Amino acid sequence: MDELEPVLSKETVAFHYGKHHTAYVKNLNDALQKETEAEAKKDLCNQIIIDEAVKFNGGGHINHSLYWENLQPISKGGGKLQEGPLKAAIELSFQSVEKMKEKLTSLSAGLKGSGWGWLGYCSNTKSLCLITTDLHDLPLAKGIVPLLCIDVWEHAYYLQYKNLRADYIKALWSIINWSVVEERYKKATA
Ligand code: MN3
């Protein structure tokens, strides 16, 4: 739990992973169970109501899984983007890696309320893009394949960074697992 120090403290990860993410998984499983029951009873009203919980908690689980997977301790190479197809694509779309980071930082810091910041791949335009999603909405619902995600819910940073969301995002760049992001990019463009 302290592997991502000092960017993410042991306490931050313990609460974020151990409490918040875990709760989404539990609530998702509960909702899926209730959905099965409502389906069996052909209770459409309840199915529609339960769908909301499936969407919210299911999105919470999927997005958090992507988040943890794209983080890596500094000592194990976190934050280092090697030369390769992803770096080239970022430079093509945003001029430089630094400019992309600045743009995604300000976009994500400016999101009103809880949600996520993303570097994604747009299948339609066949190019990289930066977007935010509200709550736990999935980028795929907008036709964007998720490559890199930043959790900007207050629970992701408030214990350490208090109201300074942009400081948290700037620090997070030093623990991004770019190998994972590049693998996602290769898969998206294959
Ligand atoms: Mn979170």
Side-chain angles (χ1 to χ4, degrees):
M1 292 271 181
D2 59 358
E3 274 201 315
L4 299 171
E5 296 255 18
V7 175
L8 298 179
S9 70
K10 186 178 172 180
E11 191 189 23
T12 293
V13 176
F15 274 86
H16 195 181
Y17 181 73
K19 304 287 181 190
H20 292 278
H21 185 172
T22 303
Y24 294 126
V25 173
K26 183 191 179 300
N27 294 337
L28 171 64
N29 287 327
D30 289 351
L32 288 172
Q33 175 65 36
K34 283 185 191 156
E35 195 172 51
T36 307
E37 288 162 17
E39 262 173 36
K41 290 181 193 160
K42 300 199 186 305
D43 184 344
L44 183 59
C45 283
N46 253 325
Q47 266 183 264
I48 291 167
I49 292 164
I50 295 161
D51 275 347
E52 288 292 320
V54 172
K55 181 187 173 197
F56 181 76
N57 292 291
H61 172 51
I62 290 169
N63 291 347
H64 280 96
S65 299
L66 290 168
Y67 176 73
W68 299 121
E69 195 190 33
N70 69 206
L71 297 181
Q72 184 180 41
I74 297 168
S75 60
K76 293 186 180 163
K80 290 193 184 70
L81 173 56
Q82 311 289 347
E83 295 294 332
L86 176 64
K87 190 172 178 220
I90 289 174
E91 286 168 351
L92 186 69
S93 292
F94 309 102
Q95 292 180 305
S96 70
V97 176
E98 279 317 304
K99 285 207 170 129
M100 184 280 292
K101 287 182 185 174
E102 279 169 24
K103 277 188 182 166
L104 185 53
T105 300
S106 82
L107 188 70
S108 307
L111 175 72
K112 293 179 180 66
S114 298
W116 296 78
W118 303 89
L119 167 67
Y121 179 75
C122 176
S123 320
N124 278 338
T125 62
K126 302 204 183 307
S127 61
L128 295 177
C129 63
L130 304 175
I131 60 159
T132 57
T133 55
D134 294 327
L135 299 175
H136 293 316
D137 291 354
L138 303 179
L140 278 174
K142 298 181 179 183
I144 307 294
V145 181
L147 303 179
L148 182 158
C149 67
I150 299 172
D151 187 344
V152 292
W153 280 61
E154 282 185 349
H155 68 224
Y157 60 87
Y158 215 84
L159 287 174
Q160 280 174 274
Y161 298 88
K162 301 296 182 274
N163 58 317
L164 304 175
R165 186 192 270 181
D167 284 4
Y168 148 73
I169 300 168
K170 282 176 201 159
L172 205 69
W173 289 115
S174 65
I175 54 167
I176 293 298
N177 188 333
W178 284 105
S179 310
V180 163
V181 180
E182 182 151 73
E183 279 312 306
R184 290 175 186 164
Y185 175 71
K186 283 180 183 165
K187 237 174 131 179
T189 52

